[in-house]
Amino acid sequence: MPKSKTIISTVNDLEKRFLFVENETLKKNLAINLQYIIFLIQQEEENDLPGTITYSIYKNLILYTTSIIEGLLIHTFKELLEKGKISPKSLKSIRNFKNIKEIYKIDSTSSIISGTLIKGHEKFTRRTSFHDVIKASKKAKIIDAKLLDKIDDLRQKRNKIHLAGLNIVDDYYSKKEVDDVFDLTQKFTIEVESLLNSDD
């Protein structure tokens, strides 16, 4: 007798979890990632898989779940910035120099110079990194610092997924780690939903 097929929610249904996200493209992409996460969970639960395949599923679950957190945090930061609820000064500080003049040459590699120092902050753009948004969010105090620390730990864990940078065999992801990531994502999503729905 053929095995019954598990029904996976449609992207349109899963978009309802992200109704607080006004950006329609992001909302759909979040739902697509969530649909794939659900599919991976079902594959792991319903099939007798070799250990290496299970590790790969855990790795993908961490990767795709982290991308949901990243998308939501960057979107939330951008929305609060545009609404004036957080200051642009929460972004990374920068120092630029103009009118540089050499006053005295010390040697072939060093000189004493004069110039104008201009202090400021980076502008938020599509290229602003996840790491920088985490730091800026912490500085702006938009979300609990301990929660942001856990998100930064997760970002680092995701970065270890890149095989070229590994010096160990890539088989160390566990179900508990995945469950912890899901728990973190749930807490974080509730936080940003509350932030974006707030009129204060």
XYZ file of all heavy atoms in Angstrom, residues 124-167:
360
model
N 22.326 53.318 6.168
C 21.720 51.997 6.022
C 21.415 51.774 4.545
O 20.744 52.584 3.909
C 20.438 51.906 6.846
C 19.751 50.568 6.713
C 20.146 49.502 7.494
C 18.740 50.377 5.779
C 19.540 48.263 7.361
C 18.122 49.151 5.648
C 18.521 48.092 6.438
N 21.926 50.683 3.976
C 21.671 50.345 2.572
C 21.391 48.845 2.470
O 21.468 48.117 3.465
C 22.897 50.674 1.675
O 23.960 49.752 1.978
C 23.375 52.096 1.875
N 21.103 48.402 1.265
C 20.882 46.965 1.041
C 22.146 46.160 1.321
O 22.087 44.951 1.522
C 20.434 46.714 -0.399
C 19.021 47.172 -0.685
C 18.551 46.726 -2.045
N 19.462 47.141 -3.103
C 19.427 46.671 -4.350
N 18.549 45.749 -4.670
N 20.268 47.101 -5.252
N 23.282 46.835 1.309
C 24.559 46.149 1.540
C 24.947 46.092 3.022
O 25.949 45.473 3.373
C 25.675 46.844 0.760
C 25.499 46.751 -0.748
C 26.607 47.496 -1.468
N 26.411 47.472 -2.897
C 26.871 46.556 -3.708
N 27.552 45.540 -3.223
N 26.657 46.610 -5.012
N 24.190 46.749 3.888
C 24.503 46.712 5.322
C 24.416 45.272 5.806
O 23.421 44.586 5.581
C 23.528 47.612 6.114
O 23.587 48.942 5.585
C 23.908 47.649 7.587
N 25.468 44.818 6.470
C 25.559 43.406 6.834
C 24.637 43.038 7.997
O 24.252 43.897 8.800
C 27.002 43.044 7.200
O 27.335 43.604 8.470
N 24.309 41.772 8.080
C 23.507 41.227 9.178
C 24.184 41.546 10.509
O 23.541 41.989 11.462
C 23.364 39.714 8.960
C 22.458 38.999 9.919
C 21.456 39.651 10.623
C 22.594 37.622 10.103
C 20.609 38.967 11.495
C 21.752 36.926 10.966
C 20.767 37.602 11.660
N 25.497 41.355 10.562
C 26.263 41.618 11.781
C 26.133 43.076 12.212
O 25.913 43.380 13.396
C 27.732 41.256 11.557
C 28.611 41.483 12.744
N 28.365 40.936 13.986
C 29.747 42.226 12.884
C 29.303 41.311 14.838
N 30.138 42.096 14.198
N 26.256 44.007 11.251
C 26.149 45.434 11.567
C 24.743 45.801 12.030
O 24.577 46.657 12.908
C 26.547 46.286 10.361
C 28.055 46.313 10.139
O 28.803 45.947 11.071
O 28.484 46.682 9.032
N 23.721 45.164 11.460
C 22.343 45.441 11.873
C 22.099 44.910 13.288
O 21.412 45.549 14.089
C 21.321 44.854 10.872
C 19.895 45.001 11.390
C 21.443 45.556 9.521
N 22.669 43.770 13.619
C 22.560 43.239 14.985
C 23.172 44.229 15.974
O 22.568 44.574 16.995
C 23.238 41.853 15.103
C 22.469 40.799 14.308
C 23.341 41.429 16.573
C 23.188 39.472 14.163
N 24.382 44.715 15.665
C 25.067 45.661 16.552
C 24.285 46.967 16.678
O 24.138 47.521 17.774
C 26.480 45.942 16.021
C 27.438 44.779 16.214
C 28.766 45.026 15.551
C 29.564 46.085 16.269
N 30.913 46.251 15.680
N 23.763 47.460 15.551
C 22.998 48.710 15.571
C 21.688 48.533 16.334
O 21.253 49.440 17.053
C 22.725 49.169 14.139
N 21.066 47.375 16.206
C 19.812 47.090 16.916
C 20.053 47.052 18.419
O 19.223 47.491 19.213
C 19.221 45.754 16.449
O 18.890 45.812 15.081
N 21.216 46.520 18.781
C 21.571 46.467 20.204
C 21.805 47.886 20.735
O 21.335 48.244 21.826
C 22.828 45.609 20.391
C 23.120 45.280 21.847
C 24.389 44.473 21.999
C 24.232 43.059 21.523
N 25.381 42.209 21.885
N 22.504 48.693 19.951
C 22.779 50.081 20.343
C 21.489 50.886 20.454
O 21.329 51.712 21.353
C 23.730 50.724 19.325
C 24.261 52.073 19.744
C 25.295 52.566 18.753
C 25.826 53.938 19.134
N 26.805 54.440 18.144
N 20.552 50.651 19.535
C 19.274 51.367 19.530
C 18.296 50.805 20.560
O 17.241 51.388 20.796
C 18.658 51.314 18.136
N 18.647 49.652 21.149
C 17.822 48.998 22.178
C 16.402 48.692 21.686
O 15.429 48.873 22.411
C 17.769 49.847 23.450
C 19.132 50.061 24.086
C 19.055 50.909 25.326
C 20.431 51.076 25.956
N 20.430 51.955 27.128
N 16.315 48.213 20.438
C 14.975 47.902 19.913
C 14.509 46.518 20.354
O 13.319 46.252 20.390
C 14.917 48.030 18.367
C 15.858 47.036 17.673
C 15.222 49.447 17.927
C 15.674 46.982 16.167
N 15.469 45.655 20.669
C 15.161 44.289 21.102
C 16.098 43.953 22.255
O 17.221 44.471 22.326
C 15.341 43.289 19.934
C 14.310 43.559 18.843
C 15.224 41.848 20.395
C 14.538 42.775 17.583
N 15.670 43.080 23.134
C 16.460 42.651 24.278
C 17.868 42.231 23.844
O 18.035 41.460 22.899
C 15.749 41.484 24.980
C 16.537 40.993 26.183
O 16.576 41.714 27.183
O 17.115 39.895 26.082
N 18.875 42.766 24.547
C 20.278 42.523 24.186
C 20.634 41.038 24.237
O 21.406 40.549 23.403
C 21.196 43.319 25.096
N 20.092 40.298 25.203
C 20.396 38.865 25.308
C 19.861 38.105 24.105
O 20.498 37.167 23.609
C 19.811 38.296 26.601
C 20.546 38.754 27.855
C 19.948 38.152 29.109
C 20.683 38.639 30.347
N 20.072 38.134 31.592
N 18.689 38.507 23.628
C 18.111 37.881 22.438
C 18.982 38.171 21.215
O 19.252 37.281 20.399
C 16.688 38.403 22.221
C 15.833 37.707 21.159
C 15.649 36.223 21.467
C 14.469 38.384 21.041
N 19.461 39.403 21.116
C 20.342 39.774 19.998
C 21.681 39.045 20.078
O 22.260 38.695 19.045
C 20.548 41.290 19.966
C 19.340 42.096 19.483
C 19.533 43.579 19.765
C 19.076 41.860 18.005
N 22.172 38.801 21.299
C 23.419 38.020 21.455
C 23.227 36.601 20.919
O 24.108 36.046 20.253
C 23.832 37.962 22.926
C 24.458 39.264 23.418
O 24.924 40.060 22.569
O 24.481 39.484 24.640
N 22.078 36.015 21.207
C 21.782 34.666 20.710
C 21.671 34.663 19.187
O 22.103 33.718 18.516
C 20.498 34.138 21.338
C 20.646 33.784 22.808
C 19.340 33.269 23.395
C 19.491 32.937 24.871
N 18.215 32.487 25.470
N 21.096 35.727 18.644
C 20.979 35.841 17.185
C 22.368 35.975 16.561
O 22.648 35.386 15.516
C 20.067 37.030 16.811
C 18.608 36.686 17.153
C 20.200 37.396 15.331
C 17.655 37.846 17.081
N 23.251 36.717 17.220
C 24.612 36.856 16.702
C 25.357 35.526 16.772
O 26.119 35.179 15.863
C 25.369 37.938 17.473
C 26.579 38.449 16.710
O 26.504 38.535 15.468
O 27.603 38.753 17.344
N 25.136 34.760 17.844
C 25.720 33.414 17.936
C 25.219 32.538 16.789
O 25.984 31.767 16.195
C 25.361 32.761 19.273
C 26.099 33.381 20.450
O 27.110 34.083 20.220
O 25.655 33.185 21.592
N 23.939 32.673 16.485
C 23.341 31.900 15.398
C 23.933 32.317 14.057
O 24.213 31.475 13.204
C 21.829 32.095 15.397
C 21.018 31.345 14.337
C 21.256 29.844 14.423
C 19.532 31.664 14.477
N 24.155 33.620 13.882
C 24.789 34.119 12.653
C 26.162 33.481 12.469
O 26.519 33.046 11.368
C 24.915 35.646 12.734
C 25.636 36.282 11.544
C 25.981 37.733 11.830
N 26.923 37.868 12.914
C 28.256 37.734 12.775
N 28.788 37.450 11.592
N 29.054 37.864 13.811
N 26.914 33.399 13.566
C 28.246 32.789 13.491
C 28.161 31.297 13.188
O 28.972 30.768 12.430
C 28.990 33.032 14.798
C 29.334 34.496 15.032
C 30.028 34.734 16.359
O 31.103 34.183 16.614
N 29.425 35.530 17.216
N 27.169 30.632 13.782
C 26.970 29.209 13.501
C 26.650 29.003 12.012
O 27.162 28.093 11.373
C 25.830 28.655 14.361
C 25.582 27.155 14.171
C 24.406 26.680 14.989
C 24.723 26.594 16.462
N 25.700 25.516 16.761
N 25.799 29.875 11.472
C 25.471 29.775 10.052
C 26.717 29.961 9.191
O 26.902 29.280 8.188
C 24.422 30.826 9.673
C 24.029 30.756 8.202
C 23.182 31.920 7.767
N 23.896 33.182 7.832
C 23.386 34.333 7.438
N 22.141 34.379 6.988
N 24.077 35.435 7.515
N 27.578 30.896 9.578
C 28.785 31.147 8.793
C 29.714 29.940 8.764
O 30.483 29.761 7.821
C 29.532 32.372 9.335
C 28.795 33.664 9.033
O 27.845 33.675 8.238
N 29.208 34.746 9.649
N 29.639 29.097 9.790
C 30.472 27.890 9.827
C 30.010 26.857 8.803
O 30.707 25.882 8.543
C 30.436 27.276 11.229
C 31.182 28.080 12.265
C 31.042 27.453 13.637
C 31.721 28.300 14.703
N 31.485 27.786 16.050
N 28.828 27.079 8.246
C 28.306 26.135 7.262
C 29.119 26.179 5.974
O 29.172 25.220 5.225
C 26.801 26.414 7.015
C 25.997 25.918 8.221
C 26.292 25.798 5.731
C 24.540 26.309 8.232
N 29.800 27.305 5.708
C 30.618 27.410 4.498
C 31.783 26.443 4.595
O 32.685 26.609 5.420
C 31.101 28.843 4.299
C 29.975 29.836 4.238
N 28.946 29.734 3.333
C 29.703 30.931 4.983
C 28.095 30.736 3.518
N 28.532 31.468 4.517
N 31.798 25.439 3.754
C 32.738 24.327 3.878
C 34.205 24.734 3.781
O 35.050 24.148 4.447
C 32.436 23.277 2.801
C 31.072 22.573 2.909
C 30.933 21.570 1.793
C 30.928 21.881 4.252
N 34.510 25.731 2.969
C 35.912 26.101 2.761
C 36.578 26.577 4.037
O 37.791 26.453 4.203
C 36.010 27.184 1.690
N 35.801 27.105 4.973
C 36.383 27.629 6.198
C 36.426 26.627 7.344
O 36.859 26.966 8.438
N 35.992 25.406 7.095
C 35.930 24.418 8.172
C 37.245 23.663 8.337
O 37.908 23.351 7.361
C 34.819 23.398 7.904
C 33.380 23.936 7.924
C 32.420 22.810 7.604
C 33.035 24.529 9.280
N 37.588 23.358 9.594
C 38.763 22.515 9.833
C 38.367 21.226 10.553
O 39.195 20.543 11.122
C 39.833 23.285 10.638
C 39.288 23.824 11.950
O 38.178 23.475 12.351
N 40.052 24.676 12.599
